[in-house]
Amino acid sequence: MAHLSDPYADIDFDEITEGTGLATDEIKCLKVCFDLFDVKKQDFLSGDDLGEIMRAMGFRPTEEELVDLLFEVDEDGSGEIEFGEFCQLCATFLVEDPDIDTMRKELKDVF
């Protein structure tokens, strides 16, 4: 039986935790969500994807707000949201110190 590759192998958990305050389990949960939105398997999300994510979370941002948010989140100026940037974005919307079961339920409801 072939072994599946580790979907978390390329994630620098320490760096993301330091930048966001997210726990390892939360980062893994966000990776699953990120992969659901990354339907083309490009390892990044576009500005259009950002709008879809925000609407899925119950927000109704204007195009101008999306441009501003992309500018704020897109640390490397690529116009794309890589996984670390996605974690940073999601960390700003998560309730302070939620327990992991609550966070999983909220993410499951959203995604």
Side-chain angles (χ1 to χ4, degrees):
M1 177 187 282
H3 293 282
L4 297 175
S5 62
D6 181 358
Y8 311 113
D10 294 333
I11 299 173
D12 185 340
F13 289 99
D14 292 336
E15 181 179 331
I16 293 173
T17 297
E18 184 178 313
T20 63
L22 294 170
T24 298
D25 286 346
E26 293 169 322
I27 296 167
K28 287 181 177 182
C29 190
L30 288 176
K31 176 63 174 160
V32 172
C33 296
F34 180 88
D35 288 345
L36 289 173
F37 281 106
D38 182 18
V39 294
K40 296 178 186 174
K41 304 304 175 210
Q42 303 175 94
D43 293 328
F44 67 84
L45 303 174
S46 69
D48 291 338
D49 295 326
L50 178 60
E52 185 178 324
I53 292 165
M54 297 302 293
R55 286 186 285 281
M57 294 173 71
F59 297 99
R60 301 289 177 253
T62 65
E63 286 302 314
E64 183 178 327
E65 290 170 329
L66 285 173
V67 169
D68 290 344
L69 187 56
L70 180 60
F71 180 77
E72 181 181 324
V73 172
D74 184 21
E75 292 180 347
D76 61 5
S78 66
E80 303 163 345
I81 303 168
E82 290 83 18
F83 179 66
E85 295 167 337
F86 177 76
C87 287
Q88 190 170 19
L89 170 68
C90 291
T92 64
F93 293 101
L94 294 173
V95 178
E96 272 189 58
D97 300 326
D99 65 274
I100 191 66
D101 292 332
T102 300
M103 187 183 121
R104 284 186 179 142
K105 181 186 179 315
E106 289 175 359
L107 287 171
K108 183 178 178 186
D109 291 344
V110 169
F111 299 104

